[in-house]
Amino acid sequence: MQSCNIYIINKIIKKSLTKRVPTPPLPILPLPSYSQLKWQQREIIMFFHFGVNTFTDSEWGTGHEDPAIFNPVGLNANQWVSAAADAGISLVILTAKHHDGFCLWPSKYTDHSVESSHWKGGKGDVVREFVDAAKAHGVDAGLYLSPWDRHEPRYGHSLEYNEFYLAQLQELLTKYESVREIWFDGAKGSNAPNMTYYFTEWFSMVKELQSSINIFSDAGPDVRWVGNENGSAGTTSWATINGTALSIGNASIERYLSTGDPRGTDYIPPECDVSIRKGWFWHKSQSPKRLSELLQIYYNSVGRNCVMLLNVPPNTTGLISETDVHRLKELRNALDTIFSVNLAERCSVKASSRRGGKDGGFGPENVLDSDHLWTYWAPGDKDDDKDRWIEIRGAAGGLRFNVIRVQEAVGLGQRIGRHEIYVDGKKVVQGTTVGYKRLHRLEGGVVSGSVVRVRITESKGLPLVSSIGLHLDPYWQPKDGNWF
């Protein structure tokens, strides 16, 4: 009887062991927050620079402008947000106050605002119309409140000005609900008074009032500046960085901001800000960038593990100019044309190994599903860490493409430091980081082949590839036939 019981127990143990599901690998710290992951998936967001500069044909106001000049008689924030939504944008940010100090809402802490303008008899509120329009279109809203204020006489007196700034910040974040991104920068003129900003207090106040918000600045803490205003990240782009090495307004760290740090202790991904025109504010003499320029910016920002922040300034009437609206539609149509079809989906996929074996749930087939965050290919723990690869196999010569997309499961940490890509055995890409999304637009133009191998040669822990795409960009006309 005892031997029978032992036999049954052993069978139960054996059966439970065979049903054990392989676990995901341990995350590699630091990790993104929920709001950072949501932000990253937006890919393109939009800025609206609007204020007295719009009416003075300038970029940096003096702070001495007469509020009466602000009179956008046809202002329609719904038109702004509609143009953004039609372009696939899910977050729009407004300059509630720029360096000139003019406030687009009726602040009780200054008379230098819409309340002193002729627009709507001083009863208007641009921020309210903007936030309401965003909500009506199902688009999230963000705000920019310039730390440098050329109008406010308290600027240069640290305690008094920081109290004033915090009061306006509190006013905005309590009066206008559900702000998803707040924008700070360190820009100020060389002749501006010395000023110490109490960023720690500002950031704490922001998180207290709206906990799900992302804070942007040179130093994060949620989103960092990429280090330039041309919309381009470094070819190496880590979301990780050492926050203690960052300071707002410090030009000496611009390269570090662009590349990030593989040993970084903080997850602060970069945002690439750029304007659709030469200037940030609307100028009658300027026109929007060509479609080819905007596509290049997309590849150099979104395609390098960043979010692209595209500024589209309203004009003196209070509308987005039709030329800009048209260019936004062209950009959206172009991106849909390029990326709506993934040629790899019609192919078979193979890998050097897989975590947990054939039915472990981490096979290479995961890179072809629609989840680009939480399903992924993971190689086996014992795989050669210098030769981990995943392969897309199509019919002989049947794949024609000029863009290769690779994505990581960054929810478990950014890992890949170096990778190579081969087409039918020929190396076509020598790359470094991947992150949320890496786009390689082949300098040699369209290539035809049947086997595309992505080889991971350097990684922090196991590389986790969440998606691979092969795309055809008909707008890409390379200047020569050399591979990059």
Side-chain angles (χ1 to χ4, degrees):
M1 184 69 177
Q2 184 177 4
S3 61
C4 182
N5 288 337
I6 293 173
Y7 173 75
I8 293 172
I9 290 170
N10 285 338
K11 284 204 71 175
I12 292 172
I13 292 173
K14 186 176 180 181
K15 188 174 181 181
S16 65
L17 288 175
T18 57
K19 283 189 173 182
R20 185 174 294 169
V21 177
T23 60
L26 287 174
I28 299 293
L29 301 179
L31 298 180
S33 67
Y34 173 82
S35 58
Q36 286 174 320
L37 280 178
K38 184 175 181 180
W39 169 88
Q40 188 95 56
Q41 292 174 86
R42 296 181 191 275
E43 297 198 354
I44 306 178
I45 60 180
M46 193 170 288
F47 222 155
F48 296 128
H49 272 64
F50 189 56
V52 291
N53 292 344
T54 308
F55 298 85
T56 60
D57 199 32
S58 60
E59 286 291 299
W60 280 10
T62 64
H64 301 296
E65 293 84 4
D66 183 349
I69 66 172
F70 183 82
N71 193 21
V73 293
L75 189 145
N76 185 349
N78 280 293
Q79 187 255 2
W80 307 356
V81 180
S82 177
D86 288 346
I89 308 298
S90 63
L91 171 65
V92 289
I93 302 172
L94 174 66
T95 54
K97 182 181 78 171
H98 205 252
H99 311 323
D100 50 76
F102 182 79
C103 299
L104 294 183
W105 80 102
S107 174
K108 63 184 179 183
Y109 299 104
T110 181
D111 59 0
H112 198 55
S113 75
V114 288
E115 200 166 23
S116 298
S117 75
H118 292 324
W119 178 60
K120 293 192 173 182
K123 303 297 183 184
D125 184 342
V126 180
V127 176
R128 170 52 64 196
E129 294 193 19
F130 163 76
V131 169
D132 288 350
K135 184 176 181 180
H137 286 82
V139 173
D140 289 328
L143 296 173
Y144 167 67
L145 185 68
S146 172
W148 183 30
D149 189 327
R150 304 185 77 177
H151 175 81
E152 177 53 48
R154 283 170 282 196
Y155 191 87
H157 304 279
S158 291
L159 177 60
E160 293 87 344
Y161 181 73
N162 275 280
E163 288 178 340
F164 166 77
Y165 188 91
L166 272 168
Q168 287 200 320
L169 188 61
Q170 185 177 12
E171 190 176 42
L172 283 171
L173 294 180
T174 53
K175 188 174 183 179
Y176 309 103
E177 64 285 345
S178 300
V179 177
R180 296 304 182 195
E181 183 166 332
I182 188 80
W183 231 78
F184 301 106
D185 64 10
K188 68 176 184 177
S190 57
N191 296 324
N194 289 329
M195 183 71 212
T196 299
Y197 300 133
Y198 295 176
F199 283 114
T200 301
E201 286 82 355
W202 297 4
F203 295 168
S204 295
M205 171 76 73
V206 168
K207 290 294 186 179
E208 177 188 11
L209 295 176
Q210 300 210 25
S211 60
S212 62
I213 201 171
N214 279 321
I215 299 174
F216 168 96
S217 79
D218 297 2
D222 301 306
V223 179
R224 75 178 193 260
W225 185 43
V226 77
N228 62 69
E229 293 184 344
N230 57 29
S232 182
T235 52
T236 295
S237 181
W238 289 96
T240 52
I241 202 164
N242 283 322
T244 55
L246 306 180
S247 57
I248 299 174
N250 183 0
S252 66
I253 61 171
E254 289 178 0
R255 180 174 175 80
Y256 186 58
L257 287 169
S258 178
T259 61
D261 190 338
R263 294 174 295 279
T265 55
D266 303 288
Y267 197 96
I268 311 175
E271 187 170 278
C272 295
D273 57 321
V274 65
S275 186
I276 197 170
R277 293 166 172 245
K278 182 179 180 181
W280 289 90
F281 286 88
W282 181 85
H283 303 280
K284 186 177 181 179
S285 61
Q286 295 179 2
S287 300
K289 290 178 170 65
R290 299 188 306 272
L291 174 61
S292 59
E293 292 179 89
L294 293 177
L295 284 173
Q296 183 68 54
I297 291 167
Y298 179 86
Y299 280 104
N300 289 348
S301 56
V302 176
R304 293 178 181 175
N305 191 38
C306 297
V307 165
M308 174 179 168
L309 172 57
L310 180 63
N311 177 64
V312 184
N315 58 30
T316 52
T317 304
L319 300 172
I320 304 297
S321 298
E322 281 304 315
T323 53
D324 295 12
V325 173
H326 178 70
R327 187 68 81 243
L328 288 171
K329 289 180 179 177
E330 284 188 331
L331 177 61
R332 182 71 267 160
N333 289 337
L335 292 174
D336 289 344
T337 297
I338 299 166
F339 296 107
S340 61
V341 175
N342 180 6
L343 300 170
E345 290 179 353
R346 305 197 299 261
C347 303
S348 60
V349 60
K350 183 180 178 182
S352 54
S353 66
R354 64 175 76 195
R355 182 179 181 84
K358 184 178 179 182
D359 299 316
F362 301 103
E365 63 277 2
N366 290 340
V367 305
L368 299 182
D369 66 18
S370 59
D371 185 343
H372 298 170
L373 272 180
W374 297 111
T375 64
Y376 47 86
W377 164 66
D381 290 318
K382 297 180 180 180
D383 203 357
D384 181 358
D385 62 6
K386 300 296 182 184
D387 194 28
R388 291 165 169 157
W389 53 265
I390 185 168
E391 205 169 70
I392 306 295
R393 295 188 169 196
L399 296 172
R400 293 184 70 255
F401 56 92
N402 56 5
V403 176
I404 303 173
R405 172 177 53 82
V406 186
Q407 298 187 237
E408 280 188 77
V410 293
L412 291 172
Q414 187 177 352
R415 299 161 178 254
I416 297 173
R418 293 188 180 277
H419 66 288
E420 302 168 347
I421 303 178
Y422 298 80
V423 178
D424 290 347
K426 180 180 180 180
K427 185 189 291 186
V428 297
V429 169
Q430 181 79 48
T432 55
T433 52
V434 174
Y436 172 73
K437 180 174 285 189
R438 186 63 187 263
L439 297 173
H440 294 290
R441 188 162 60 167
L442 302 180
E443 292 293 336
V446 176
V447 62
S448 296
S450 56
V451 179
V452 179
R453 174 175 288 196
V454 178
R455 184 168 172 254
I456 312 302
T457 58
E458 185 180 304
S459 177
K460 298 191 295 182
L462 291 176
L464 307 179
V465 179
S466 60
S467 185
I468 292 177
L470 304 177
H471 307 281
L472 186 63
D473 181 348
Y475 306 92
W476 174 231
Q477 302 296 330
K479 295 178 180 179
D480 54 56
N482 298 321
W483 296 109
F484 73 116

